[in-house]
Amino acid sequence: MITTDIAIIGAGPVGLFAVFETGLLKMRCHLIDYLPQAGGQLSEIYPKKPIYDIPGYAEVGAQELVDNLMKQIAPFKPTFTLGERIETFEKRGECDFVLTTNMGTIINAKVVVIAAGLGCFEPRKPDVADLTRFENGKGIAYMVLNPDAFANKNIIIAGGGDSALDWTNYLANIAKRVTLIHRSESFRGAPDSVAKVMALAHSGKINLLLNTNLSKVTGEERLKSVGVVNLKTKEENVIETDYLIPLFGLSPKLGPIEHWGLNLDKNAIEVNTDDYSTNVPGVYAIGDINSYKNKLKLILCGFHEAALMSHSAYKYINPGIKYTMKYTTVNGVNEF
């Protein structure tokens, strides 16, 4: 059995930063994640995707951010259970939680922090026949794990959100040809990213097809071409390509979490914004997994939630004990 002060379910950026904040208060953390490495979606789905809204960084790569967070929390010596999912959750008393993974690992903790991002997730796939024939390295990819694999290749990206826009802007610099397909005339992503895509299209560096849907995929051993249809004119065309990357987002599922007696709002956990506690005393939810009025699903908001959660968790574990708030600008991390 693993014994810890705080069990953090989810080793994404918000869960990792929670280790730092709780570490400043001398609480030990153990992190559990179904993915085989720390970093959450940043490491698993888009490790080299640029991120632009982290304070202090004009631009930082997703994996670079994870690596920096791991370096930041190293002095607090967190422990990890990776590649396993929490299946059962039991509260035996105040400050006494028992979690069991699908592999039989048992974690005993005084506080539980759920930082599971979107929970268990899978990509949303377009409604096109024969997609599965070209998955698993045969031409269709639902995420960009290694951008270098697309160097000097013909690529079709489908989607209208931030991921589709960001990867279009990024891959336009290394791919032979990028075609972006979107079923509408307007995008859902950040205005700056939209402007960059439109500029690339205007200069002829990418092929932009609006009001267009995917209609078919063809090939033998590998993907060879993609059929598209203009939703206004009904005109159909076939585009030869090496890769199709549909980026229609992820379909989130809470998994076993939905059976733990927590108040839920669709696929998210309702929290008190005073400290991001749930309706179960001693259980907190931070990051994309939680829900409250005016919620913004941003990493930096999750960092803020982790800080407030940590001070509440300290009081929950140490009722009646006063502590002095310290600042890392005054004391070095190793002094805490």
Side-chain angles (χ1 to χ4, degrees), residues 46 48-49 144 147 157 163-171 247:
Y46 39 73
K48 296 189 178 181
K49 182 178 184 292
V144 180
I157 296 175
S163 289
L165 293 168
D166 290 346
W167 281 122
T168 296
N169 287 322
Y170 187 89
L171 294 175
L247 297 173

Side-chain angles (χ1 to χ4, degrees), residues 117-308:
L118 296 175
C120 299
F121 55 87
E122 59 184 31
R124 294 189 179 98
K125 301 180 182 181
D127 186 16
V128 177
D130 294 330
L131 283 181
T132 56
R133 287 182 54 202
F134 305 110
E135 295 174 351
N136 301 317
K138 296 180 181 180
I140 294 181
Y142 300 104
M143 56 190 72
V144 180
L145 296 178
N146 180 17
D148 293 337
F150 303 102
N152 300 314
K153 302 293 184 180
N154 292 314
I155 300 166
I156 295 176
I157 296 175
D162 284 312
S163 289
L165 293 168
D166 290 346
W167 281 122
T168 296
N169 287 322
Y170 187 89
L171 294 175
N173 296 315
I174 64 174
K176 183 178 180 181
R177 183 67 171 172
V178 174
T179 297
L180 175 60
I181 296 172
H182 183 38
R183 61 188 176 187
S184 175
E185 292 183 351
S186 60
F187 293 95
R188 303 184 307 277
D192 182 63
S193 298
V194 174
K196 290 177 180 177
V197 163
M198 299 305 292
L200 288 172
H202 182 73
S203 66
K205 292 184 178 180
I206 67 167
N207 185 26
L208 178 61
L209 301 178
L210 300 178
N211 296 308
T212 302
N213 250 351
L214 301 171
S215 60
K216 63 181 179 180
V217 291
T218 60
E220 295 181 2
E221 295 299 320
R222 276 189 57 87
L223 178 70
K224 182 178 180 181
S225 63
V226 171
V228 299
V229 57
N230 185 289
L231 298 176
K232 286 188 173 181
T233 66
K234 306 304 179 183
E235 179 183 358
E236 295 190 31
N237 287 295
V238 175
I239 305 171
E240 291 193 359
T241 190
D242 297 305
Y243 289 96
L244 168 64
I245 309 174
L247 297 173
F248 297 155
L250 301 171
S251 179
K253 297 180 180 178
L254 282 178
I257 293 174
E258 65 179 313
H259 305 297
W260 293 357
L262 301 168
N263 289 341
L264 303 179
D265 177 12
K266 298 180 181 178
N267 287 321
I269 302 170
E270 294 181 347
V271 294
N272 180 345
T273 52
D274 288 345
D275 57 4
Y276 303 97
S277 58
T278 70
N279 60 298
V280 178
V283 178
Y284 299 81
I286 57 177
D288 287 356
I289 197 70
N290 72 16
S291 174
Y292 53 87
K293 185 179 179 180
N294 297 324
K295 167 73 176 181
L296 289 177
K297 291 191 175 184
L298 299 174
I299 294 174
L300 64 91
C301 293
F303 289 167
H304 160 79
E305 295 165 12
L308 292 186

Side-chain angles (χ1 to χ4, degrees), residues 8 10-23 29 31 33 37-40 42-43 63 65-74 76 78 80 82 115 286 303 306:
I8 301 177
V14 173
L16 294 177
F17 189 69
V19 175
F20 176 79
E21 289 296 326
T22 54
C29 289
L31 299 93
D33 202 298
Q37 72 284 318
L42 298 191
S43 295
Q63 188 59 50
L65 176 60
V66 171
D67 292 342
N68 286 342
L69 286 166
M70 291 292 286
K71 181 179 179 181
Q72 185 180 32
I73 67 176
F76 303 114
F80 294 83
L82 300 174
I286 57 177
F303 289 167

